[in-house]
Amino acid sequence: MAPETISRKQLRKAKQSGQSKINRPTDHHATAFEGPSQPLDVSADPVRESSSGGQARSSTVPSSSLANTPAHPATLHLPMRSQPSRAGTPFEDVAEAPRKNAVPGSAEGPYKAEAGDPAADPSEASANESPKDLGKDYRRAQAPASNKRVDWGGWAYESGLTALMERPGGARGFGTWGDEAKLKLNSHYVNLVRPKEKQEKFHQYNVRVGNGNEKRGLVKTVLESQGLGKLLPGGRVNWLFDGNEQAWSKHDIQTERRLEVDLSRDPERAVGGRPDKVFVVIKPASTRVHVNLGSIYDYMNGRCLWGADVIKAINLLDHVLRQRPSEQFATIKRSYFNHGVNGHDLHKGVEAVHGIYQSIRLAKGPKKLEGKGGLRMVTNVDVSYAPFWHMWNFNKIVAELTASGENVDSVVWREKSNHKPNGNFDLMRRLKDSGFTVEYKNMSDEAKRRKWKVAAILDKSAREYKFSPWDDTNKRLGQEITILEYYLTKYQVHLDHPDLPVVQTTKMITKQNEDGKVLFESPIVFPMELCIMQPNQRYLKALDREQTKIMVDHAIQPPQERLKRINDSLIMLSWHEDQYLSHYGLKISPDEIETDARILLPPTLQFKNGSKLTPEANGKKGTWNLTDRQFISTKALRAPWGVMVLTDSSESKRNQTNKFVDLLKKEYVKLGGEIDSELDISEKRLTENLADLAKDVREFYDQIHDQRRRRPQILLFILPKDSSDVYLRIKNTCDCQLGVYSQCVQAKNAFRTFKEPLEPRQYGFFCNLLMKFNAKLGGATNGIVLSRPEDHFLGRTMIIGADVSHPAPGSQAPSYAAMTVSMDSTATRYAAAVQTNGYRKEMISNRNITNCLTPLIKRWKERNKYLGQEHLPEHVYYFRDGVSEDQFKILLDTEVASLKTLFSLKSMGKTWTGAPVKFTVVVAEKRHHIRFFPQGPKHHEKGNPLPGTIVDHDVTDPKGNDIYLCSHRAIKGTARPTHYIMLLDEREIPVNKFQKMLYEQCYQYIRSSTAVSLHPAVYYAHLASKRAQAHDSIFAADWPEGKGTGKGKDPATSSSDDSSGEPAALLPMKDWKDGQTEWIGYGMWFI
């Protein structure tokens, strides 16, 4: 008999009456759960679905944010956000991204729940309010999700009445254009055996280890000890601990339990100065929180609405999933590492360790489940990498750190002149906070098991450090002796490297008399050569450039190799052997989910004089070459221009420069450009004083202006080496002091031996250079052939992109906000504005939005007149990068609200009396772990998906309106699709048109002859935010008028502040306002 369904009327009535659950006959075919009366064969379960990746904090996150959760160091992100390397953290494929500017209740930082705060206890949320009072959807009044190890989806973080957009119902919510393709995903179905008793509940408890302020290492040891397991009702497997202050169990304990755990009885116990006996207090949560896993079953089948019960149940499943691996492996966020296995040397005592990433989430199920709840629970798995210290002797690590080879005796860690510690000593101090053991001959087994932690590296050697030894009766043994003498006298250990610094531990040696009075207290120290690094000691400093390159090269694998590594790493998780999964009824399919995807057709590209081509070069889709093609638009270079050659020697480069310039002009003319102006060339010796460089650039500019009677339009710089300091100084001088476009090129590229005709690689170099050159002069590379304008945009449309970049950990530099605005009807050319945005603040301030966009909107109105009049756009796309799912609602309430105010007729002036501007808000996310593995020879290139591969059903959010789009051709490694999440759509764009526009716009990235992986508006915003560093006010100290507030320091480590505590504003770009020179702020200065 067919299962009974719920009508919309019944569901609406349930909402109005406050009923959150509706009973109906069970349909076992409509869910991923298996009931006791009808077991589900996991091995035969069809594979169709996946979860999206995302970020979450590691360590312990309470189910309802009852406790404060310490944040872990930010993770290293290299592929998309070109910012300084983040230290000691797992790579995604290379890396997992950091969370920024978390909201209250998240696991990002400390948050203390207050009375009445729904985050304190989801079961109490909206207890006195009826669904009718709370708006259209009962779930919106429920407490927000807080455990960010789970990929909830942005809508799950909502509270109050503001709602994110949901996917339109029925066929309107899913695209249909494109060729069908089968993909495997690095995700697996999670099947939950429904409890025999429907109302079986798990109880939540508060846990305190010791005095409640014990170190995390001791807490972990106690909670995982066999001694505690024997004392717990039902045994250890019946209890889940978050590692901090919470626990869950089916056993109902009504009163507080105080358990004494004897750690000395554990066979794996390593004393290390810790107490042998520790008390553990377990008591019911003050609000008596209960978790019913059946609520997930009902929600997935459409029997109940989203609410606190579902949140708590999914949160519990997350703890079940990670309990066993967190007990056995080093845990960083959602990644697990088995140190000592699969290590790859990064030099300097550090190795890259290969681990496994795992997260759980609800996801939109296969199409056959549509209308039957349509949801599945899945886990996303992926490879992960993190830097760890080698498990070596400290003196070997120090030898590598200081580049002394294996000859540690050659390490010089003091200045000869004043005998003070030097840079090598600072490198040794990186060992601080590392765990280690000590080993020497005749040492007892108990002493060998003791674990120590580095408190400091002292600037005294074993030959110099003296102390007064004590005997077992607490009596001094005479005069002070050195560490060298002590080990030789007491242990007959001759130190081979007595001149290395000694290691101070976090432990103290204390001597007391019979009355308990402290007679003596001193830190415990060891000679460095006796210390051995413990396993699982993360390297917490930033990797240098060489280490980063090695790690990236090691982490990047072709698709099939990556999939093999994922499957090999699943041995670590051993789902079939996990006693916690078994006990709580979770079964995870060993097979990857297979999903239905579509491959959108590529656009036809348009060039000058009506030339067209299909973007496919040498059988490679998504790429093309410019041979026999010309840029679709160029602007003649009629104003003067100049080339400055910076050298690091006295040798003249004039002849090489002339040859390079001749080739540059020749190739530009071939590409449709026109140069009809005088050129000036200058050579300057590059010195260490970068203020001299700024002076030289200004003098060269003035020289051209004085001789040619016109301001130069562009300056080209040939640099002797790759130097960020030189680059930033040039950009600051040209952008902010002179208001002129600039282009830098490396001497090794400009002065190479060129052949006639140019070889393919040489031709590619000139094409890449001239695409940027042309864009800065006002041109564009190519366009898209559209049968009609409505194929991309419905009405007069503006696209805005936004991104905020943050400095490396420990830096005092501000965050930089960048906003880009399309300047033409086809959204080919963009302008950009940048500004400081506080310190590590992700949301762009209202002041920045207003100040950055007002001049650019004004310029857009001037360039896009309608019937001869200026007007606002009918429709605005707002593409935002770098926002995590828990910040989606904040984005709408802050940035989008500011945009709507700015675009109001009152704000912009009543120059046009049309309807209010309609907004479409889309978040572009690259920091996730979803990967596509195409099946079938027609759907991939070397294992990677073809450009245009899109998934908008099986792997997507259960409620939100999102897609995964792989718009580019992966050159190396495994392609990572971009996750686009639509938060708002007031224009009601047809789904096929939106997806077509999104994909085809990736072919209009102005400085590339390949389709890019990210929408250009966001890509440009990223470039602009990176360039913002060159506009920092610290450079103003080098200005000739001397009015700057800065001190000439490195912007990566410092920034000037104003009296309000906010960072100083960036220097404005120079606007001559002479009627002849257009302000570069309206052009593509950031390319």
Side-chain angles (χ1 to χ4, degrees):
M1 184 175 65
E4 182 184 345
T5 60
I6 301 175
S7 67
R8 292 182 179 271
K9 184 176 181 180
Q10 286 178 296
L11 191 58
R12 184 167 57 251
K13 185 176 181 181
K15 294 180 183 179
Q16 294 172 349
S17 64
Q19 181 181 354
S20 62
K21 184 175 293 186
I22 303 174
N23 296 321
R24 71 178 182 185
T26 302
D27 175 18
H28 292 290
H29 299 282
T31 176
F33 284 78
E34 49 178 314
S37 60
Q38 185 175 346
L40 179 64
D41 182 1
V42 178
S43 62
D45 190 24
V47 191
R48 300 179 185 84
E49 228 269 283
S50 172
S51 72
S52 76
Q55 281 72 39
R57 307 308 298 179
S58 66
S59 182
T60 58
V61 181
S63 66
S64 54
S65 295
L66 279 170
N68 296 343
T69 307
H72 280 256
T75 56
L76 176 64
H77 178 67
L78 296 179
M80 288 306 305
R81 300 187 62 80
S82 302
Q83 59 190 40
S85 298
R86 304 291 176 95
T89 54
F91 281 69
E92 266 185 23
D93 81 332
V94 192
E96 184 183 354
R99 287 287 191 180
K100 303 187 288 276
N101 201 33
V103 296
S106 75
E108 187 72 22
Y111 169 64
K112 190 176 291 295
E114 303 292 343
D117 185 348
D121 180 12
S123 65
E124 294 184 344
S126 309
N128 299 319
E129 299 177 277
S130 68
K132 184 177 180 179
D133 299 327
L134 293 170
K136 296 181 180 180
D137 195 338
Y138 179 62
R139 67 168 175 78
R140 294 173 189 158
Q142 304 307 304
S146 60
N147 181 356
K148 295 194 326 191
R149 273 182 301 272
V150 178
D151 297 313
W152 298 99
W155 51 272
Y157 289 91
E158 292 186 71
S159 60
L161 300 179
T162 303
L164 302 180
M165 176 186 179
E166 295 186 7
R167 189 184 299 276
R172 294 188 306 115
F174 304 97
T176 57
W177 292 355
D179 299 329
E180 294 184 356
K182 289 288 185 181
L183 301 179
K184 279 190 175 181
L185 305 165
N186 55 335
S187 298
H188 300 252
Y189 283 131
V190 179
N191 302 295
L192 178 62
V193 179
R194 192 177 183 188
K196 294 181 180 180
E197 297 180 14
K198 184 178 179 180
Q199 299 303 320
E200 183 177 21
K201 294 182 178 179
F202 296 86
H203 309 279
Q204 184 173 313
Y205 299 94
N206 293 336
V207 180
R208 187 180 76 242
V209 176
N211 59 16
N213 295 317
E214 304 291 354
K215 294 182 178 179
R216 296 178 63 87
L218 177 60
V219 173
K220 179 178 174 63
T221 299
V222 172
L223 295 181
E224 296 176 2
S225 66
Q226 294 182 13
L228 178 62
K230 294 177 181 178
L231 298 174
L232 293 171
R236 182 66 178 81
V237 73
N238 279 281
W239 288 79
L240 294 174
F241 292 94
D242 72 350
N244 193 17
E245 297 180 349
Q246 290 185 316
W248 295 264
S249 177
K250 288 189 294 186
H251 291 269
D252 188 5
I253 299 178
Q254 297 294 330
T255 59
E256 178 181 300
R257 296 283 183 93
R258 184 178 175 88
L259 309 176
E260 184 182 64
V261 181
D262 188 354
L263 295 175
S264 63
R265 295 178 178 268
D266 270 37
E268 300 298 325
R269 170 65 173 155
V271 181
R274 295 172 178 166
D276 291 332
K277 295 184 179 180
V278 180
F279 283 98
V280 177
V281 177
I282 300 177
K283 61 180 180 181
S286 58
T287 54
R288 297 295 292 166
V289 178
H290 306 291
V291 183
N292 184 358
L293 294 182
S295 60
I296 305 179
Y297 178 90
D298 292 315
Y299 177 69
M300 291 169 65
N301 282 276
R303 292 191 185 87
C304 74
L305 301 171
W306 178 265
D309 290 341
V310 182
I311 290 176
K312 290 185 291 184
I314 295 175
N315 181 70
L316 180 62
L317 289 188
D318 169 63
H319 285 287
V320 174
L321 187 68
R322 68 185 181 85
Q323 187 71 43
R324 180 178 178 270
S326 64
E327 291 177 356
Q328 296 186 344
F329 308 110
T331 304
I332 304 176
K333 295 190 175 182
R334 291 181 283 189
S335 296
Y336 307 98
F337 299 90
N338 188 10
H339 195 193
V341 178
N342 298 324
H344 187 79
D345 187 29
L346 299 180
H347 307 319
K348 300 184 179 179
V350 183
E351 64 176 336
V353 177
H354 167 207
I356 184 76
Y357 166 94
Q358 177 179 237
S359 68
I360 192 171
R361 71 164 299 160
L362 278 172
K364 194 71 178 176
K367 292 182 180 179
K368 74 174 187 178
L369 296 184
E370 195 69 31
K372 302 178 182 179
L375 307 182
R376 296 297 300 259
M377 184 71 72
V378 298
T379 181
N380 177 209
V381 292
D382 196 12
V383 290
S384 188
Y385 296 87
F388 286 78
W389 287 107
H390 271 294
M391 293 181 290
W392 292 347
N393 189 288
F394 273 18
N395 61 307
K396 183 178 180 180
I397 294 176
V398 163
E400 282 216 357
L401 268 177
T402 57
S404 303
E406 296 185 359
N407 185 12
V408 70
D409 291 325
S410 66
V411 175
V412 179
W413 56 278
R414 281 176 174 155
E415 298 289 352
K416 292 183 179 180
S417 57
N418 54 21
H419 211 55
K420 290 184 178 180
N422 60 15
N424 281 337
F425 181 76
D426 291 336
L427 292 174
M428 295 180 190
R429 292 173 62 188
R430 293 185 180 184
L431 295 170
K432 187 177 183 296
D433 294 328
S434 300
F436 67 97
T437 57
V438 175
E439 188 171 339
Y440 50 86
K441 68 179 182 181
N442 302 324
M443 194 176 186
S444 67
D445 291 338
E446 180 182 351
K448 288 181 181 179
R449 294 206 316 270
R450 289 177 181 165
K451 298 177 182 178
W452 309 89
K453 188 175 182 179
V454 179
I457 303 296
L458 302 181
D459 60 349
K460 290 185 178 181
S461 67
R463 197 189 300 276
E464 298 166 331
Y465 188 94
K466 293 184 178 182
F467 70 103
S468 298
W470 294 65
D471 63 14
D472 295 335
T473 62
N474 289 341
K475 292 183 180 181
R476 291 185 183 272
L477 295 180
Q479 297 180 345
E480 290 185 337
I481 61 173
T482 65
I483 294 286
L484 175 65
E485 296 168 337
Y486 176 76
Y487 276 89
L488 183 61
T489 303
K490 184 167 184 177
Y491 302 111
Q492 291 76 54
V493 173
H494 178 76
L495 298 180
D496 295 325
H497 311 290
D499 294 316
L500 287 177
V502 295
V503 178
Q504 178 180 319
T505 72
T506 55
K507 303 296 181 183
M508 305 289 290
I509 182 170
T510 304
K511 297 297 181 180
Q512 299 176 334
N513 60 16
E514 295 178 355
D515 298 329
K517 181 180 178 180
V518 176
L519 301 175
F520 175 81
E521 190 174 55
S522 177
I524 298 176
V525 298
F526 289 104
M528 185 172 286
E529 65 184 87
L530 303 184
C531 303
I532 302 174
M533 189 69 70
Q534 281 183 245
N536 300 327
Q537 300 303 301
R538 292 173 57 194
Y539 181 73
L540 297 175
K541 299 296 181 181
L543 297 177
D544 61 28
R545 179 174 297 186
E546 178 191 3
Q547 290 174 315
T548 300
K549 182 181 184 303
I550 295 173
M551 191 162 188
V552 170
D553 291 342
H554 176 65
I556 293 177
Q557 311 104 26
Q560 295 308 315
E561 182 181 340
R562 187 188 190 96
L563 187 59
K564 183 179 183 301
R565 286 199 183 187
I566 292 172
N567 290 328
D568 291 344
S569 298
L570 289 179
I571 298 174
M572 290 175 59
L573 299 178
S574 298
W575 291 325
H576 62 288
E577 297 178 354
D578 192 320
Q579 58 181 345
Y580 295 102
L581 295 182
S582 177
H583 180 77
Y584 288 90
L586 269 69
K587 291 184 178 180
I588 302 178
S589 171
D591 301 319
E592 298 90 358
I593 292 172
E594 188 173 281
T595 186
D596 294 319
R598 291 173 292 113
I599 303 177
L600 302 180
L601 296 177
T604 299
L605 306 186
Q606 184 168 347
F607 295 88
K608 205 170 195 176
N609 300 322
S611 175
K612 301 176 183 179
L613 67 80
T614 301
E616 181 174 351
N618 300 321
K620 300 173 181 177
K621 297 182 182 297
T623 184
W624 60 98
N625 62 57
L626 296 171
T627 304
D628 300 326
R629 309 286 175 183
Q630 292 185 336
F631 295 142
I632 190 171
S633 66
T634 58
K635 292 293 180 69
L637 179 56
R638 303 194 186 281
W641 63 299
V643 176
M644 174 175 275
V645 183
L646 301 175
T647 65
D648 51 9
S649 68
S650 58
E651 180 183 356
S652 175
K653 304 291 184 180
R654 188 74 184 203
N655 291 335
Q656 294 167 290
T657 303
N658 289 335
K659 184 175 181 179
F660 167 70
V661 170
D662 289 343
L663 277 172
L664 179 73
K665 292 192 292 185
K666 180 180 178 181
E667 294 302 321
Y668 189 46
V669 170
K670 285 183 179 180
L671 290 167
E674 181 181 354
I675 298 179
D676 184 18
S677 63
E678 298 294 333
L679 168 68
D680 289 85
I681 298 176
S682 174
E683 286 189 88
K684 290 291 182 179
R685 182 77 177 268
L686 189 63
T687 66
E688 293 183 359
N689 188 351
L690 295 182
D692 291 341
L693 172 60
K695 180 182 177 182
D696 291 339
V697 174
R698 288 194 301 269
E699 290 178 349
F700 183 47
Y701 178 92
D702 291 338
Q703 173 189 327
I704 298 174
H705 181 235
D706 293 342
Q707 291 180 358
R708 310 298 180 189
R709 302 298 180 180
R710 289 188 66 183
R711 302 189 189 281
Q713 189 171 349
I714 189 169
L715 298 179
L716 192 147
F717 296 86
I718 300 178
L719 311 181
K721 58 184 177 181
D722 184 10
S723 171
S724 60
D725 292 334
V726 171
Y727 177 84
L728 290 175
R729 196 60 56 115
I730 290 173
K731 293 299 181 181
N732 172 265
T733 306
C734 292
D735 293 350
C736 303
Q737 299 184 41
L738 303 175
V740 62
Y741 292 110
S742 59
Q743 180 64 53
C744 296
V745 61
Q746 294 290 314
K748 64 181 180 181
N749 295 322
F751 297 155
R752 69 176 69 178
T753 301
F754 295 105
K755 296 181 179 180
E756 290 284 353
L758 294 174
E759 295 177 345
R761 186 178 294 272
Q762 296 172 344
Y763 178 71
F765 160 71
F766 276 104
C767 286
N768 290 333
L769 176 60
L770 289 170
M771 281 188 283
K772 300 177 186 179
F773 192 81
N774 183 57
K776 289 172 182 176
L777 294 180
T781 302
N782 63 270
I784 302 296
V785 176
L786 301 176
S787 58
R788 53 182 183 171
E790 292 78 12
D791 285 352
H792 274 189
F793 305 127
L794 301 177
R796 295 176 294 278
T797 301
M798 174 191 290
I799 298 181
I800 299 175
D803 186 23
V804 177
S805 64
H806 303 284
S811 171
Q812 299 303 310
S815 299
Y816 298 114
M819 305 194 79
T820 61
V821 175
S822 62
M823 283 287 137
D824 50 30
S825 61
T826 59
T828 302
R829 288 188 53 80
Y830 282 75
V834 293
Q835 192 51 266
T836 55
N837 196 62
Y839 294 101
R840 303 191 184 280
K841 293 181 181 178
E842 180 58 40
M843 293 298 119
I844 303 175
S845 68
N846 177 67
R847 180 177 63 180
N848 280 345
I849 289 176
T850 302
N851 293 341
C852 288
L853 291 185
T854 297
L856 302 185
I857 295 173
K858 180 181 178 181
R859 189 62 170 172
W860 187 93
K861 291 164 61 180
E862 294 172 353
R863 291 183 175 180
N864 295 271
K865 292 182 179 180
Y866 178 64
L867 299 179
Q869 293 186 347
E870 296 181 6
H871 61 84
L872 292 174
E874 297 174 280
H875 181 208
V876 171
Y877 275 105
Y878 184 48
F879 284 95
R880 185 63 158 87
D881 184 29
V883 178
S884 55
E885 60 189 17
D886 59 304
Q887 296 172 315
F888 289 171
K889 179 181 176 295
I890 301 174
L891 179 72
L892 292 179
D893 290 344
T894 55
E895 293 183 14
V896 176
S898 296
L899 286 171
K900 288 188 174 184
T901 300
L902 181 62
F903 276 87
S904 66
L905 296 179
K906 180 179 179 181
S907 173
M908 297 304 299
K910 294 186 178 181
T911 56
W912 177 57
T913 58
V917 178
K918 294 184 178 181
F919 283 84
T920 298
V921 181
V922 181
V923 170
E925 180 191 31
K926 292 287 286 187
R927 298 178 191 90
H928 60 79
H929 284 266
I930 291 295
R931 299 294 182 272
F932 297 165
F933 300 94
Q935 306 298 297
K938 296 182 179 180
H939 302 146
H940 72 87
E941 180 186 336
K942 296 182 179 180
N944 272 310
L946 298 178
T949 301
I950 190 169
V951 172
D952 66 355
H953 199 288
D954 296 85
V955 74
T956 49
D957 190 275
K959 290 284 188 181
N961 190 11
D962 62 327
I963 61 171
Y964 288 87
L965 171 63
C966 184
S967 56
H968 66 298
R969 172 182 172 266
I971 299 175
K972 188 176 182 181
T974 303
R976 173 168 37 187
T978 299
H979 188 198
Y980 293 100
I981 309 102
M982 185 179 287
L983 306 185
L984 178 70
D985 182 22
E986 296 174 337
R987 192 64 178 84
E988 297 183 354
I989 307 165
V991 60
N992 282 318
K993 285 184 177 292
F994 171 71
Q995 294 177 4
K996 172 183 171 69
M997 182 278 297
L998 203 59
Y999 173 48
E1000 293 187 350
Q1001 286 270 305
C1002 293
Y1003 285 80
Q1004 289 191 160
Y1005 185 61
I1006 211 163
R1007 65 179 216 174
S1008 175
S1009 58
T1010 62
V1012 291
S1013 63
L1014 193 62
H1015 190 279
V1018 183
Y1019 219 136
Y1020 295 145
H1022 168 66
L1023 293 178
S1025 67
K1026 183 181 178 183
R1027 273 284 301 280
Q1029 205 177 79
H1031 298 179
D1032 197 290
S1033 61
I1034 59 171
F1035 290 111
D1038 299 331
W1039 284 29
E1041 51 267 37
K1043 296 179 181 178
T1045 58
K1047 307 299 181 183
K1049 297 179 182 178
D1050 183 354
T1053 58
S1054 63
S1055 181
S1056 303
D1057 292 353
D1058 59 25
S1059 58
S1060 67
E1062 289 294 311
L1066 295 176
L1067 298 171
M1069 287 186 287
K1070 179 69 174 180
D1071 185 358
W1072 290 105
K1073 298 181 180 179
D1074 56 5
Q1076 298 179 354
T1077 308
E1078 183 183 59
W1079 183 45
I1080 64 172
Y1082 292 146
M1084 304 192 74
W1085 55 270
F1086 48 89
I1087 288 296

